[in-house]
């Protein structure tokens, strides 16, 4: 396919169509339907033909596009070789510097912008929850280079932790929040200990297993967690002790401020809580990167042997990463519980872990801004395609593949140094290691 | 005692199915070092293609059980192998040699896609299949409990053993097997020595998918019902089996599969069905605690 | 004379059936450069790995004595204490840098333990205030000092992996020195260097011996194949073959030791010629 001329591209598309025919024939061309005795088959030649044609045309266009881009890249390389070297920031980089503040301003002002209703604020809250989870997991995967496929376990610990603290000790959201973080961090350490010696995919499967174990336990410990029915009636957060209530009475948020009682108040309040939590996560992560602990995480990702030779305790470095990441997952879980008022094990399946990991990888491991953009794209995009109904997950899966093929190192792959003597220059992605843990 | 023997038979049957799927994980891991998360779904597709083939054969009037079984097996292996080929081309080949996590995410995306593809194409409902093979052999007639091995179980165990033998011969004796082992050791060197690495990797996926198709058919025959979601659970179990046996090791995958099958069966029989997954996962974590490379895995010490 | 900084007694390291180091005893005097030489596979790097906690020796003892008389039994210490308390630092034969971090960051990681002791644990340090920030500035200064010594100051903000080979070797030494060791273990620091770089390296190692991290000198343990380097800068040489010590003494004595020449001639012609060339040059 390399130096492909048009005939080669057509031939390649033809082969792709042939494969599509073979792949589609049994499952698209034939459908099982309940019949009188067992299952019957119906044939769908039209659907099969349409799919095969679509694959042919799609592959053809892709082939032409790639061939075109290759020749464009060659001439661009020639031009670049002739041009004088550029000094300072490129215009793109200058724009890049503005993205984060613009994002922040938009996030802060979003609920009060005109035309923003309850649906948009709810969506914003959801996006921010995943931004926070992405940032939390980024500590473990992006900074420390430890592949964690069971991050949802800490989200679950936070959610159930708050629900149980509220049920048995009558704690309010604000009183329980720090405790849920500590609880999740403790679980991070408990689960971190056995996996200290494991690397790579062994670590991945054991973290996945832990996530599943916690879910199965939540599902079956009916007396404590309500089992599959979950826990409901989880108390909502108050505004400095003022509950949000539609009664508009003396001791409520609306009553105190003399506002017309409206459900939007709580929705906005929840939005700002998760915004604040996410910003705290971001702030702590940024500070930790410039702190010996954070540098040790990155050193571990880059080269564990060299880290050990410099006297870093691998145990301490790994456990702090697990614990810190877990803590933020726990906070997010507690927020999830108080926002929904109801939780069940169904919210904490492997697919959630996979989604959060996808956000981190798509964002560009280690990049805070990249993770935020990726979470917005994935969760927002998922909502945009709501109209596709049952095809939504289909498109979602395919999009995940396409994005990774398009940008294997994520959206923002360069690494910002944590300290510098002169002007700070980002480190190119080709130098940054991804960790073996 | 009788009861335990019966569980042993059941556990071995289940373990064979896990072992077949685990082989696919371990082969792909061995050759390109990635977790092929979509492999469980390829297994599910194998089960669906077997189901459709059974119905087709039934409609075509081929009802002689041995012929039907062989035909279905052949059809399922061929078409599922094509899926394995397509998945590798679309989702993994463009990412060859890049960053470790990109293919993993791509694989998760592929898994989501395949699951939903089958759901959309075939419907979300559970698909039943009437028992194809019935009957069995009474192994032991106890006072309180009768130990039987069903004809189905015999077929599953025998087929798996035959497939495993053929597969072992392919890996150990053929030029393809040699090429696979060479790519596993050192892809660049293999390429320099004239091995077509791309083709070898493609064939690895094809063989892995064909083995998954066998497992899918066995699953269909054994349980009689399938749905689009069976791939995830079976996939995670089989992957656990592969890691338990030492990922990259072919005998390890089969051993791991058998162990996971036995652990699950015995745990369900003597303790609680709900916690059988917890038991399997806990054993995995415990094993890795003491043997970080699994039971038969190569213990590679990073050179200082 | 005070106790040697390093005393190894009956060190044995066995890997399965392979006896890599066999009843080895050696010592390194304080303030000196001690070279360990020997043919390939003689067990030199294995000795380093035992010293720095990567391997747990099968038998024997490794004692480090500081100037103040404090002693450490390395074979019993957890690895991170070997660097932190016994103050031993090392480099690697195949350079191991934190490639995606900048040169300066590499040196900051090396000061992890000191910074943690000096108040990095305080909550104020996390938000970027308090006395800790002064400590961190001091750490940057220490890094700057070694960057100047190794000629890397211009590259301080570049990714370590983007440096040329010789610079990477120097960076690894600078990084080891930032841990403020009392004993520096260099594993083939001259491998792959051109003659000019090799000369600069000699100077650097001598500077480390005489001045060290705190101006009071630092003992050096050196594995090297380049005989011109070994003969020029070593104060003392230990020769290993098949995991055993076959000679031990001043460079002048070693170069005439028939056992050493035989070991080299018997094992590796190229290296024997190198020895010979070094002899001619002296």
């Amino acid at each position: 396919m390399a130096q492909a001329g048009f005939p080669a591209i057509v031939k390649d598309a033809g082969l792709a169509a042939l494969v599509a025919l073979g792949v589609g024939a049994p499952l698209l061309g034939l459908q099982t339907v309940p019949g009188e005795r067992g299952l019957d088959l119906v044939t769908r030649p039209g659907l099969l033909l349409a799919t095969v044609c679509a694959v042919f045309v799609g592959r053809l266009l892709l082939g032409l596009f790639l061939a075109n881009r290759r020749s464009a890249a060659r001439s661009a390389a020639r031009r670049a070789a002739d041009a004088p070297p550029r000094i300072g920031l490129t215009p793109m980089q200058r724009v890049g510097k503005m993205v984060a503040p613009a994002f922040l301003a938009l996030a802060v002002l979003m609920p009060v912008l005109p035309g923003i209703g309850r649906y948009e604020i709810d969506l914003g809250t959801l996006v921010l929850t995943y931004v926070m989870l992405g940032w939390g997991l980024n500590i473990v995967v992006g900074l420390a280079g430890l592949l964690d496929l069971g991050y949802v376990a800490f989200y679950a610990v936070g959610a159930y932790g708050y629900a149980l603290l509220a049920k048995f000790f009558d704690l309010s959201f604000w009183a329980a929040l720090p405790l849920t973080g500590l609880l999740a961090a403790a679980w991070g350490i408990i689960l971190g200990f056995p996996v200290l010696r494991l690397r790579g995919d062994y670590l991945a499967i054991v973290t996945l297993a832990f996530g599943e174990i916690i879910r199965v336990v939540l599902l079956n410990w009916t007396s404590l967690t309500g089992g599959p029915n979950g826990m409901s009636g989880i108390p909502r957060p108050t505004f400095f002790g003022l509950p949000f209530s539609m009664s508009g009475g003396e001791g409520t948020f609306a009553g105190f401020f003399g506002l017309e009682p409206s459900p939007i108040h709580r929705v906005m309040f929840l939005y700002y809580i998760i915004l604040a939590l996410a910003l705290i996560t971001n702030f702590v992560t940024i500070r930790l990167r410039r702190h010996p602990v954070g540098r040790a995480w990155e050193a571990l990702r880059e080269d564990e042997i060299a880290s050990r030779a410099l006297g870093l305790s691998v145990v301490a470095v790994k456990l702090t990463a697990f614990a810190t990441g877990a803590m933020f997952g726990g906070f997010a879980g507690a927020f999830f519980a108080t926002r929904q008022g109801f939780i069940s094990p169904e919210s904490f399946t492997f697919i959630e872990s996979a989604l959060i990991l996808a956000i981190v990888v798509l964002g560009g491991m280690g990049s805070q801004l990249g993770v935020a953009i990726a979470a917005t794209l994935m969760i927002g995009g998922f909502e945009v395609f709501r109209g596709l109904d049952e095809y939504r997950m289909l498109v979602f899966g395919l999009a995940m593949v396409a994005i990774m093929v398009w940008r294997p190192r994520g959206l923002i792959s360069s690494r910002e140094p944590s300290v510098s003597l002169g002007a700070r220059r980002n480190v190119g992605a080709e130098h940054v290691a991804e960790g073996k843990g | 005692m009788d009861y335990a023997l019966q569980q042993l038979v059941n556990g071995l049957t289940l373990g064979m199915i896990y072992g077949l799927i685990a082989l696919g994980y371990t082969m792909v891991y061995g050759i390109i070092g990635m977790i092929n998360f979509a492999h469980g779904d390829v297994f599910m597709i194998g089960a669906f293609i077997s189901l459709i083939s059974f119905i087709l054969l039934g409609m075509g009037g081929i009802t002689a059980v041995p012929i039907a079984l062989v035909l279905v097996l052949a059809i399922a292996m061929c078409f599922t192998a094509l899926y394995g080929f397509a998945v590798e081309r679309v989702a993994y080949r463009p990412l060859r040699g890049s960053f470790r996590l990109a293919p993993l995410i791509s694989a998760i995306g592929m898994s989501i896609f395949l699951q939903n593809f089958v759901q959309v194409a075939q419907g979300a409902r559970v698909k039943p299949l009437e028992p194809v093979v019935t009957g069995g052999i009474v192994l032991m007639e106890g006072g309180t409990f009768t130990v039987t091995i069903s004809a189905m179980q015999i077929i599953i165990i025998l087929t798996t053993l035959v497939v495993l033998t053929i597969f072992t011969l392919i890996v150990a004796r053929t030029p393809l097997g040699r090429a696979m082992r060479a790519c596993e050791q050192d892809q660049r060197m293999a390429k320099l020595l004239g091995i077509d690495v791309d083709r070898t990797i493609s064939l690895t996926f094809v063989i892995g998918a064909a083995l998954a198709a066998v497992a899918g058919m066995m699953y269909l025959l054994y349980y009689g019902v399938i749905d689009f979601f069976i791939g995830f659970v079976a996939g995670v179990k089989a992957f656990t089996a592969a890691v338990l046996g030492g990922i990259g090791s072919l005998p390890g995958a089969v051993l791991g599969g058998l162990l996971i099958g036995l652990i699950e069966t015995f745990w369900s029989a003597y303790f609680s069905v709900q916690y059988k997954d917890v038991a399997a996962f806990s054993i995995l974590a415990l094993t890795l605690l003491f043997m970080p490379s699994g039971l038969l895995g190569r213990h590679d010490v990073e050179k200082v | 004379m005070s106790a040697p900084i390093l005393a190894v007694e009956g060190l044995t390291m066995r890997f399965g059936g392979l006896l890599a180091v066999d009843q080895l005893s050696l010592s390194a005097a304080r303030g000196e450069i001690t070279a360990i030489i020997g043919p390939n596979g003689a067990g030199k790097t294995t000795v380093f790995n035992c010293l720095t906690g990567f391997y747990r020796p099968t038998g024997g003892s490794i004692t480090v004595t500081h100037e103040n008389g404090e002693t450490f039994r390395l074979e019993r210490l957890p690895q991170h204490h070997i660097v932190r308390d016994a103050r031993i630092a090392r480099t690697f034969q195949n350079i191991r840098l934190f490639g995606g971090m900048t040169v300066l960051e590499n040196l900051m990681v090396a000061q992890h333990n000191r910074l943690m002791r000096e108040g990095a644990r305080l909550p104020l340090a996390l938000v970027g205030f308090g006395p800790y920030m002064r400590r961190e500035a001091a750490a940057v200064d220490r890094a700057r000092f070694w960057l100047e010594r190794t000629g890397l100051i211009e590259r301080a903000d570049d990714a370590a992996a983007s440096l040329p080979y010789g610079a990477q070797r120097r960076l690894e030494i600078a990084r080891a020195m930032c841990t403020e060791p009392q004993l520096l273990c260099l594993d083939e620091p001259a491998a792959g260097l051109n003659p000019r770089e090799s000369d600069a390296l000699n100077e650097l190692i001598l500077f480390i011996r005489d001045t060290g991290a705190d101006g009071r000198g630092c003992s050096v343990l050196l594995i090297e194949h380049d005989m011109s380097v070994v003969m020029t800068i070593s104060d003392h040489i230990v020769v290993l073959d098949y995991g055993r010590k076959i000679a031990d003494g001043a460079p002048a004595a070693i170069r005439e030791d028939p056992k050493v020449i035989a070991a080299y001639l018997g094992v590796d012609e190229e290296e024997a010629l190198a020895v010979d060339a070094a002899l001619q040059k002296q």
Side-chain angles (χ1 to χ4, degrees):
Chain A
M1 203 190 98
Q3 298 298 318
F6 189 67
I9 293 174
V10 174
K11 188 180 158 214
D12 178 65
L15 282 176
L18 211 60
V19 172
L21 178 67
V23 163
L27 292 179
L28 279 178
L30 299 168
Q31 188 183 24
T32 51
V33 290
E36 291 145 31
R37 291 180 56 250
L39 293 169
D40 273 341
L41 287 177
V42 291
T43 54
R44 295 183 293 191
L47 180 64
L48 181 60
L49 189 68
T51 311
V52 170
C53 290
V55 168
F56 179 76
V57 173
R59 184 78 199 183
L60 190 68
L61 291 178
L62 184 69
L64 290 174
F65 170 73
L66 289 180
N68 193 18
R69 199 172 68 167
R70 257 196 300 276
S71 63
R74 262 197 300 276
S75 52
R78 263 199 304 277
R79 272 200 306 279
D82 297 338
R86 185 190 288 280
I87 295 174
L89 297 175
T90 63
M92 260 321 271
Q93 281 167 324
R94 235 170 264 153
V95 173
K97 284 219 177 298
M98 298 303 297
V99 170
F103 236 63
L104 180 63
L106 186 67
V108 172
L109 294 177
M110 206 275 274
V112 294
L113 290 178
I116 297 291
R118 182 180 174 147
Y119 169 75
E120 284 80 9
I121 301 177
D122 266 335
L123 180 57
T125 310
L126 187 67
V127 167
L128 283 173
T129 311
Y130 280 95
V131 170
M132 176 161 178
L133 287 168
W135 278 339
L137 182 61
N138 194 21
I139 292 175
V140 183
V141 179
L143 294 183
L146 303 164
L147 181 49
D148 185 347
L149 282 181
Y151 189 62
V152 78
F154 307 120
Y155 191 41
V157 165
Y160 273 89
Y162 170 52
L164 293 170
L165 284 171
K167 185 174 165 191
F168 290 108
F169 299 100
D170 220 14
L171 288 186
S172 75
F173 174 69
W174 296 110
L177 187 64
L179 294 179
T180 57
L182 287 180
L183 196 65
W187 273 98
I189 292 174
I190 292 170
L191 300 189
F193 251 111
V195 301
L196 283 172
R197 284 169 69 203
L198 301 182
R199 291 163 169 275
D201 302 285
Y202 291 95
L203 178 66
I205 184 67
V206 175
T207 49
L208 191 160
F210 281 147
E212 286 292 295
I213 288 176
I214 288 200
R215 193 180 61 83
V216 172
V217 170
L218 290 176
L219 197 60
N220 290 303
W221 195 346
T222 315
S223 58
L224 186 70
T225 65
N229 299 326
M231 299 181 73
S232 54
I234 301 168
R236 301 311 194 102
T238 59
F239 184 82
F240 296 101
L242 299 173
F244 292 85
S245 158
M246 287 306 288
S247 71
E250 189 55 20
T252 69
F253 177 78
F256 187 82
F257 289 99
L259 298 169
E260 189 68 29
S262 158
I264 197 89
H265 293 155
R266 180 192 284 153
V267 175
M268 284 172 72
F269 183 53
L270 285 168
Y271 177 87
Y272 282 112
I273 292 179
I274 187 65
L275 180 61
L277 285 174
L279 288 178
I280 290 172
T281 310
N282 186 33
F283 175 75
V284 172
T285 310
I286 288 177
R287 287 306 319 175
L288 274 173
R289 277 199 64 213
R290 297 181 189 166
H291 185 271
V293 168
R295 287 202 196 103
W297 290 341
E298 292 203 79
L300 183 76
R301 176 194 70 206
E302 294 287 327
D303 193 325
E304 180 174 332
I305 301 260
S307 307
R308 283 163 59 188
L310 293 174
L312 302 190
S313 155
V314 173
V315 173
V317 175
K318 284 188 178 176
L319 288 184
T320 49
F322 275 125
T324 315
M327 180 179 76
F328 291 121
F331 287 147
F335 172 79
F336 177 77
T338 195
R339 178 188 175 215
Q340 302 285 332
F342 164 77
I343 49 173
S344 76
E346 253 173 67
S347 307
F348 307 105
T349 54
F350 167 71
I351 200 78
E352 290 289 313
S353 291
L355 181 60
I356 304 167
L357 183 66
I359 287 173
V360 173
V361 175
L362 171 61
M365 302 213 320
S367 162
Q368 296 292 99
L369 180 62
V371 169
I373 295 175
T376 313
L377 282 180
M378 301 237 339
I379 307 300
F382 197 60
E383 276 300 311
V384 169
F385 289 114
R386 188 179 271 279
L388 291 176
D389 290 331
E390 53 182 10
Y391 294 95
R392 185 159 70 146
M393 282 306 276
L394 194 78
V395 172
F396 184 70
L398 213 52
M400 261 167 92
V401 175
I403 291 173
M404 277 300 115
V405 171
W406 170 54
R407 284 201 83 111
R409 297 225 52 162
L411 295 171
I412 300 182
S413 51
S414 63
R415 176 181 170 276
E416 194 190 339
S418 63
V419 56
S420 67
L421 285 186
R424 212 164 273 208
R425 279 182 308 244
N426 280 3
V427 173
E430 69 277 16
H431 297 309
V432 182
E434 51 179 325
K436 294 203 177 93
Chain B
M1 187 57 224
D2 304 347
Y3 187 57
L5 190 64
Q6 181 68 60
Q7 300 313 321
L8 186 70
V9 172
N10 296 348
L12 280 178
T13 316
L14 184 62
M16 291 279 185
I17 296 179
Y18 286 153
L20 279 173
I21 313 174
L23 275 175
Y25 277 108
T26 232
M27 279 166 72
V28 166
Y29 186 87
I31 202 157
I32 53 176
M34 69 163 281
I35 309 174
N36 179 11
F37 243 101
H39 190 63
D41 300 284
V42 170
F43 151 80
M44 177 269 295
I45 282 174
F48 265 90
I49 294 178
S50 309
L51 173 74
I52 290 173
S53 318
F54 270 120
I55 301 173
L56 265 183
L57 291 182
M59 287 160 72
I62 303 173
T63 44
V65 170
I67 300 175
L69 284 179
V70 171
L71 276 178
V72 169
L73 192 64
I75 297 173
M77 285 175 81
C78 286
F79 280 97
T80 313
L82 202 57
Y83 270 88
F85 173 79
V87 165
E88 194 265 337
R89 281 306 287 262
V90 172
Y92 307 147
R93 185 171 298 184
L95 292 170
R96 182 102 33 89
S98 96
F99 186 64
R100 179 178 61 137
L101 284 176
L104 179 72
I105 300 297
S106 179
I108 292 173
M110 206 51 183
S111 160
I112 295 175
F113 170 76
L114 290 176
Q115 243 176 57
N116 288 277
F117 167 69
V118 172
Q119 187 192 357
V120 169
Q122 296 293 327
R125 278 212 221 143
V126 168
K127 307 280 173 184
L129 179 74
E130 278 173 50
V132 179
V133 191
T134 48
I137 304 168
V138 175
L139 287 184
M140 215 197 294
E141 195 101 45
T144 50
F145 194 83
T146 313
V147 182
T148 55
I149 178 164
S150 68
M152 203 53 257
Q153 288 175 320
I154 298 174
I155 291 179
I156 291 177
I157 292 174
L158 284 182
T159 313
T160 309
L161 289 178
V162 169
V163 169
L164 280 181
T165 313
I166 297 173
F167 169 75
T168 312
L169 287 178
I170 290 179
V171 174
R173 297 282 164 81
T174 63
L176 169 65
R178 201 177 317 126
M180 279 166 62
R181 281 176 286 141
C183 290
E184 208 179 307
Q185 294 288 322
D186 188 340
Q187 259 181 47
R188 192 182 304 177
M189 194 63 210
K191 197 173 238 163
L192 286 174
L193 293 175
I195 292 174
D196 187 340
V197 174
D198 279 345
R199 189 170 152 271
T200 311
I201 292 175
S202 265
L203 282 171
T204 307
F205 273 85
V206 164
I207 295 175
L211 291 175
V214 178
M217 177 180 159
M218 300 300 150
Y219 184 97
L220 173 70
L221 289 174
Y222 194 47
Y223 290 103
V225 284
I226 52 169
D227 61 50
F228 70 95
F229 202 65
I230 58 168
F232 175 70
V233 182
V236 169
K237 292 290 176 48
F239 181 44
T240 307
V243 173
L244 181 64
I247 196 155
S249 151
L250 299 177
V254 179
L255 177 68
L258 289 176
L259 282 176
I260 295 281
L262 288 171
I263 291 165
E264 259 191 55
T265 313
F266 275 91
W267 190 274
S268 310
Y270 290 97
F271 302 100
S272 72
V273 184
Q274 287 93 356
Y275 285 103
K276 66 174 180 168
D277 294 356
V278 173
F281 288 139
S282 307
I283 300 260
L284 170 81
L286 278 177
T287 309
L288 291 183
L289 205 56
F290 297 104
M291 307 173 81
S293 322
L295 295 173
L296 302 181
R298 260 188 314 233
H299 189 75
D300 45 17
V301 182
E302 196 170 355
K303 212 164 161 0
V304 177
Chain C
M1 194 183 137
S2 65
I5 181 149
L6 173 73
V8 174
E9 293 290 339
L11 182 70
T12 303
M13 185 73 217
R14 187 188 287 278
F15 299 102
L18 177 79
L19 196 57
V21 178
D22 184 12
Q23 291 289 329
L24 175 71
S25 297
L26 61 86
S27 67
R30 193 179 314 284
E32 286 195 350
I33 297 172
T34 308
I36 301 182
I37 62 170
N40 288 327
K44 306 179 297 280
T45 299
T46 306
V47 172
F48 264 32
N49 285 340
C50 290
L51 283 181
T52 48
F54 282 98
Y55 297 156
R56 209 52 26 187
T58 318
S61 72
I62 308 169
T63 313
V64 163
T65 311
H66 283 178
E67 230 169 340
N68 59 13
E70 218 180 331
T71 63
F72 301 88
R73 292 291 291 275
L74 300 193
E75 77 277 10
R76 295 179 192 159
L77 281 185
Q79 188 172 25
H80 57 284
H81 289 203
I82 291 180
V83 182
R84 200 184 69 188
D85 302 335
R87 302 188 47 197
I88 298 191
R90 75 171 287 178
T91 64
F92 294 90
Q93 201 172 338
N94 47 341
I95 308 173
R96 284 185 173 273
L97 293 170
F98 306 122
M101 302 174 84
T102 65
V103 169
L104 178 61
E105 282 179 304
N106 269 268
L107 303 192
M108 294 301 283
V109 171
Q111 303 183 58
H112 177 87
N113 283 326
R114 185 181 325 101
L115 288 172
M116 291 304 276
R117 254 200 320 272
E118 288 177 348
R121 287 196 179 85
L122 300 177
L124 269 180
L126 189 60
V127 282
F129 294 105
Y132 167 74
M133 297 320 280
R134 263 201 318 280
R135 311 285 193 172
E136 187 170 278
V140 173
D141 283 339
R142 193 172 294 110
R144 195 195 302 267
F145 172 80
W146 283 107
L147 288 179
E148 272 159 7
R149 288 293 343 163
T150 49
L152 293 169
I153 192 78
E154 298 295 320
R155 307 296 304 264
D157 295 328
D158 288 332
S162 71
L163 298 185
Y165 185 81
Q168 292 198 8
R169 283 243 174 255
R170 293 202 301 281
L171 174 57
E172 215 190 3
I173 296 175
R175 189 179 67 183
M177 288 313 292
C178 278
T179 65
E180 302 209 307
Q182 301 231 352
L183 177 66
L184 175 67
C185 302
L186 299 171
D187 197 346
E188 298 199 30
L193 299 189
N194 63 36
R196 203 163 45 85
E197 286 175 323
S198 186
D199 285 344
L201 177 76
N202 288 353
E203 255 177 68
L204 178 63
I205 297 176
L206 290 172
F207 173 81
I208 287 169
R209 179 191 67 183
D210 299 332
T211 315
D214 48 7
R216 290 157 70 189
C218 170
S219 315
V220 176
L221 204 58
L222 172 74
I223 293 179
E224 189 48 71
H225 276 293
D226 186 332
M227 284 305 150
S228 66
V229 172
V230 172
M231 291 297 168
T232 315
I233 63 172
S234 311
D235 300 302
H236 184 96
I237 296 176
V238 176
V239 189
L240 299 192
D241 194 18
Y242 293 112
R244 280 198 210 99
K245 184 164 82 175
I246 57 169
D248 187 343
I254 291 295
R255 104 182 56 155
E256 269 134 42
D257 191 319
K259 269 190 296 190
V260 177
I261 296 167
Y264 272 90
L265 282 176
V267 177
D268 192 332
E269 198 178 356
E270 197 184 70
E271 280 178 318
L273 290 177
V275 176
D276 207 37
L279 295 181
Q280 301 302 319
K281 217 164 92 183
Q282 296 296 308

